[in-house]
Amino acid sequence: MKALAKVLKELKEKDIGSSFKDLTQQIRTYFDDEDDALRSMAFVLFGILARLTKRKWKTYFADQVKRSWVTLLLHLQDPNPEISMECRATFHLCLPFLELKRLRSAINEHLGGTAELKPEELQVDICRHLAKENAELLEKLYQTTITYFYSSWEEIRAVAANLAGIILEHTDRQRMEWLDLEYLLMSLQVLQKDPSPTVQLVATEIISDICSGRVIGE
């Protein structure tokens, strides 16, 4: 993968044939690999492809970004700080491929520059924009996020549970026809028994917010 990164840096979009599709899909499979080195290089390679993509593969790569941006968002809090930085750089490179200009602008304010990233503030901004502008992407954000309740990393499980709570807090119930509340509560109850005290606490707080009506109120 390191060798591939060196080669890709020397190429232009026109130099890559139909293998671009297979390459992009293969790289994405390593985003959640438990091997830190593989996960790190996957983010680096995806970033190189983002920089490389201009016209020929723009539509295709934009679709891949649409399939990957939630994973990138969660790995901004990767258990490995160095990988979270690689992910931040890659996410920033992928911004031009996101559909909504206002969403891109909001994310860019957080990822651009060298200031310390505040992931929860970024997540709140994203949810607010999507709740107003794109119900489809909001649903995609939610559906992908809850799959990470079962991540092998406790940090990612905690981040995913917290993000699910943020989504509920900033979205009107009327806009959440896709929400299976019974399944969500069942999943959160499982997280209450998680080996990690942090995950347990996050899950307990979200269940409390739901039951009290603080989130997803009518």
Side-chain angles (χ1 to χ4, degrees):
M1 291 180 77
K2 289 181 179 179
L4 179 59
K6 291 181 180 180
V7 171
L8 287 175
K9 286 180 180 179
E10 302 300 321
L11 298 178
K12 295 182 179 180
E13 185 183 37
K14 64 180 182 179
D15 298 322
I16 304 179
S18 59
S19 60
F20 182 92
K21 291 185 176 182
D22 291 335
L23 185 60
T24 305
Q25 292 176 18
Q26 286 297 316
I27 289 171
R28 288 181 54 233
T29 64
Y30 290 101
F31 283 174
D32 292 309
D33 198 280
E34 293 190 11
D35 186 302
D36 283 9
L38 288 176
R39 196 164 71 258
S40 177
M41 283 308 304
F43 290 130
V44 169
L45 284 167
F46 203 72
I48 293 173
L49 289 179
R51 191 183 292 114
L52 189 69
T53 302
K54 303 298 181 185
R55 300 179 69 179
K56 182 179 180 180
W57 297 108
K58 185 176 181 179
T59 301
Y60 176 78
F61 193 74
D63 179 67
Q64 294 300 301
V65 170
K66 187 176 181 180
R67 296 169 183 264
S68 307
W69 75 277
V70 181
T71 297
L72 294 173
L73 178 64
L74 292 170
H75 278 283
L76 290 174
Q77 293 169 270
D78 191 278
N80 185 319
E82 292 183 6
I83 296 177
S84 67
M85 290 301 295
E86 295 285 5
C87 184
R88 176 176 179 172
T90 293
F91 199 175
H92 194 235
L93 288 168
C94 289
L95 283 183
F97 297 94
L98 288 177
E99 295 176 347
L100 301 176
K101 291 183 178 179
R102 291 182 183 178
L103 177 62
R104 292 202 303 263
S105 178
I107 297 176
N108 187 55
E109 288 181 8
H110 291 273
L111 299 184
T114 57
E116 181 182 356
L117 180 66
K118 297 180 179 178
E120 187 163 328
E121 291 183 8
L122 168 60
Q123 293 165 3
V124 168
D125 279 351
I126 288 174
C127 291
R128 283 175 175 167
H129 278 276
L130 293 183
K132 294 178 181 178
E133 298 182 23
N134 196 308
E136 180 185 351
L137 272 183
L138 181 66
E139 180 181 357
K140 174 66 175 178
L141 172 61
Y142 173 77
Q143 297 295 353
T144 304
T145 295
I146 62 175
T147 66
Y148 281 90
F149 285 6
Y150 308 100
S151 170
S152 59
W153 298 291
E154 63 179 78
E155 295 91 343
I156 296 295
R157 293 196 300 276
V159 170
N162 190 62
L163 178 53
I166 291 172
I167 294 169
L168 298 182
E169 183 177 354
H170 291 90
T171 310
D172 294 334
R173 181 66 183 270
Q174 291 82 354
R175 295 174 179 264
M176 302 175 71
E177 296 176 357
W178 36 263
L179 176 65
D180 185 339
L181 186 57
E182 183 178 351
Y183 177 80
L184 174 61
L185 286 170
M186 181 180 68
S187 299
L188 290 170
Q189 288 166 357
V190 172
L191 291 182
Q192 282 186 305
K193 301 176 182 178
D194 193 275
S196 165
T198 300
V199 176
Q200 293 176 20
L201 180 61
V202 172
T204 299
E205 288 179 347
I206 297 172
I207 290 175
S208 175
D209 287 343
I210 292 172
C211 293
S212 67
R214 198 177 81 81
V215 297
I216 62 172
E218 298 297 338

